[in-house]
Amino acid sequence: MLRKTVLLVLCMCLLTGCWSRRELNELLIVLGIAVDWEDGEYLVSFQVVNPSEISAQKQSGDRPPSTLYQGRGKTMFEAARSLTAEAPRKVYAGHLQIYVIGEKLARRGIGDFLDNTLRDNEARMDFNVVVAKGAKAEDILKIYTPLEKLPTQNMLRSLETSEKSWAPTVSVTMDQILSTLSGDGKELALTGIQIIGSQKKAESKENVETFLPPGRFRYTGIAAFKKDKLIGWLNEKESKGYTDITNNLDSTSVELKCSENKYLGIEITSSESRIKMKMNNGLPEAHIYFQTEANLVDRGCREVNLKDPAVIGQLEQQVEGVMQSNADASVKHAKKLKSDIFGFGSTLGKQQPEMWKKMQKGWNEEGFPALKLHYHIEVHLRKTGTTGNTTIK
């Protein structure tokens, strides 16, 4: 009996209590954070949920589904704590979805303020990070969005969908940023987001009361960093090349001109890429291999005979040419910026470690700009649709 009592007491010592619990009605659930740099201080905006407005049991009311609280400070911690002067509860970032960085702050450097986020034991590192292109980050979180009540949910789902179906965007999470900034041989690249139309109207409820909202957001371009500072933007063509090379391409569209103002539409259904670093005369060269599957979805020119195998081969070669052109444009711009956002240096370090040790110190300034690239692209056009050569006149 004594032995059982002692064992029971020891087991009770291992049980954990709820000493650190916080009730839900004591917290502000943060779904989006925007960080800007203004007047020598951080301006941090927290988009928090209004639970009563998104409840399924309650019809839409007069209040917005979310509220924006803002704080300022010399550090991120000070800015976050300063908003308690007006917020009725303490913020909780365990459900954070979107983190928006203002372009001005991104050009100044993101390493210092990200350090605070990485030290927060409540925040999960799987939220996506984007850069506000030509705008303040706080303005992005003020937009009324259609379909989804919460703007951050709309932004998150749009980013995930466009990454799978539209090549110029790529989702990057905070833990991936940490890995990139902590490693060697690869620079950071983040998707940009900008406001289209009227910012003033986008901030009012009237924005979602029309068929075409007068103000909305759009993911556009990829922000290229060097160390932790934004140094330039890739355009749409260059962004497609970036996702191709870095094996982030799932699906996209390619237009092939077949006559004056007429095009064939090609859907890329899957694509895989890999990089092989080879030595030539004592210098590294990058060989990039693409394996791509595609379907024909638009036949703008009736004279193109889709039943002819030779024509299919020609179309495959044209798609290969477009992919190489996108990749060339992307690498050319990155070399001009002297920022290896593709990770050629990192690949060199894994495949040719001795050579990397020699070139690591001046890689962005000398090694990467001088790197020769060779493309090996294979495109297979699998389907031409159910109608083949259509009979429509």
Side-chain angles (χ1 to χ4, degrees):
M1 183 65 182
L2 178 62
R3 184 178 299 177
K4 292 182 179 180
T5 304
V6 173
L7 183 61
L8 181 61
V9 173
L10 291 176
C11 289
M12 292 178 64
C13 294
L14 299 176
L15 298 177
T16 58
C18 299
W19 59 271
S20 61
R21 80 184 192 281
R22 285 186 289 171
E23 300 296 337
L24 191 61
N25 58 3
E26 298 175 354
L27 301 175
L28 290 174
I29 306 300
V30 179
L31 296 183
I33 294 179
V35 187
D36 290 291
W37 183 256
E38 281 192 357
D39 303 324
E41 291 183 324
Y42 291 109
L43 172 61
V44 186
S45 305
F46 294 87
Q47 185 183 96
V48 301
V49 180
N50 284 338
S52 61
E53 295 301 314
I54 62 173
S55 173
Q57 285 75 28
K58 180 180 177 180
Q59 296 183 353
S60 178
D62 295 330
R63 295 188 302 173
S66 59
T67 301
L68 207 66
Y69 287 101
Q70 294 182 310
R72 289 176 176 270
K74 299 294 184 183
T75 65
M76 287 286 293
F77 183 76
E78 181 185 8
R81 282 299 175 89
S82 69
L83 66 85
T84 58
E86 57 178 287
R89 307 172 187 174
K90 189 177 180 181
V91 297
Y92 175 71
H95 296 288
L96 184 60
Q97 296 178 335
I98 288 288
Y99 201 108
V100 187
I101 303 173
E103 182 170 349
K104 183 178 180 180
L105 177 58
R107 292 189 179 277
R108 182 179 182 271
I110 65 175
D112 291 340
F113 79 84
L114 286 184
D115 180 78
N116 172 266
T117 304
L118 297 172
R119 294 178 187 276
D120 187 354
N121 63 341
E122 288 185 344
R124 294 158 54 185
M125 295 295 105
D126 59 350
F127 55 86
N128 287 277
V129 183
V130 296
V131 179
K133 185 176 182 181
K136 294 173 63 176
E138 64 168 324
D139 294 336
I140 302 295
L141 296 187
K142 294 178 180 178
I143 299 177
Y144 272 85
T145 55
L147 297 183
E148 299 291 345
K149 287 186 176 181
L150 297 170
T152 51
Q153 287 188 354
N154 200 322
M155 294 173 191
L156 177 62
R157 293 182 181 180
S158 178
L159 180 60
E160 293 172 344
T161 303
S162 62
E163 182 187 35
K164 295 177 181 178
S165 305
W166 184 238
T169 58
V170 58
S171 63
V172 181
T173 58
M174 181 60 80
D175 54 352
Q176 292 173 325
I177 292 178
L178 174 61
S179 177
T180 300
L181 294 180
S182 302
D184 293 317
K186 184 178 181 180
E187 299 296 340
L188 182 63
L190 298 175
T191 296
I193 184 172
Q194 67 178 170
I195 299 172
I196 300 175
S198 172
Q199 169 67 38
K200 184 177 180 180
K201 292 182 179 179
E203 297 179 11
S204 67
K205 197 173 182 180
E206 297 176 359
N207 195 54
V208 293
E209 294 176 348
T210 60
F211 287 104
L212 180 62
R216 53 201 183 277
F217 72 87
R218 181 181 178 86
Y219 290 108
T220 176
I222 288 180
F225 286 72
K226 191 171 184 179
K227 295 188 183 299
D228 68 332
K229 296 181 179 179
L230 171 64
I231 59 171
W233 290 91
L234 305 187
N235 60 28
E236 185 175 290
K237 177 182 177 69
E238 295 161 351
S239 297
K240 286 185 176 182
Y242 169 80
T243 55
D244 286 351
I245 294 175
T246 55
N247 198 29
N248 285 307
L249 174 63
D250 286 329
S251 178
T252 189
S253 65
V254 174
E255 292 71 44
L256 303 178
K257 190 172 184 178
C258 51
S259 66
E260 188 66 26
N261 296 326
K262 290 186 178 182
Y263 295 84
L264 295 174
I266 307 294
E267 177 194 15
I268 303 296
T269 56
S270 67
S271 184
E272 293 185 2
S273 65
R274 60 186 178 90
I275 302 172
K276 180 70 175 178
M277 304 298 290
K278 298 181 179 180
M279 302 303 297
N280 185 15
N281 296 325
L283 294 175
E285 294 183 351
H287 291 256
I288 308 173
Y289 298 85
F290 297 93
Q291 288 286 340
T292 304
E293 305 282 327
N295 297 329
L296 187 139
V297 293
D298 282 315
R299 180 172 172 254
C301 297
R302 299 290 183 255
E303 63 272 17
V304 177
N305 184 10
L306 300 180
K307 295 182 179 180
D308 187 352
V311 172
I312 298 299
Q314 293 173 5
L315 295 178
E316 290 174 342
Q317 291 179 3
Q318 291 181 51
V319 175
E320 292 171 2
V322 172
M323 294 182 66
Q324 180 167 338
S325 176
N326 292 342
D328 275 333
S330 182
V331 173
K332 183 178 179 180
H333 192 174
K335 285 185 174 182
K336 185 178 179 181
L337 297 173
K338 295 184 177 181
S339 174
D340 182 9
I341 56 176
F342 309 96
F344 292 120
S346 177
T347 304
L348 180 62
K350 296 175 183 177
Q351 299 179 1
Q352 304 287 344
E354 294 300 322
M355 178 56 64
W356 174 242
K357 289 180 181 179
K358 298 177 182 179
M359 305 186 70
Q360 179 178 1
K361 189 174 181 180
W363 177 250
N364 275 324
E365 284 67 29
E366 300 175 2
F368 172 56
L371 182 67
K372 291 185 178 181
L373 281 76
H374 304 274
Y375 298 99
H376 309 272
I377 306 175
E378 291 186 18
V379 174
H380 301 283
L381 195 59
R382 299 301 188 189
K383 299 178 182 179
T384 58
T386 58
T387 58
N389 289 331
T390 179
T391 57
I392 297 177
K393 297 180 181 180

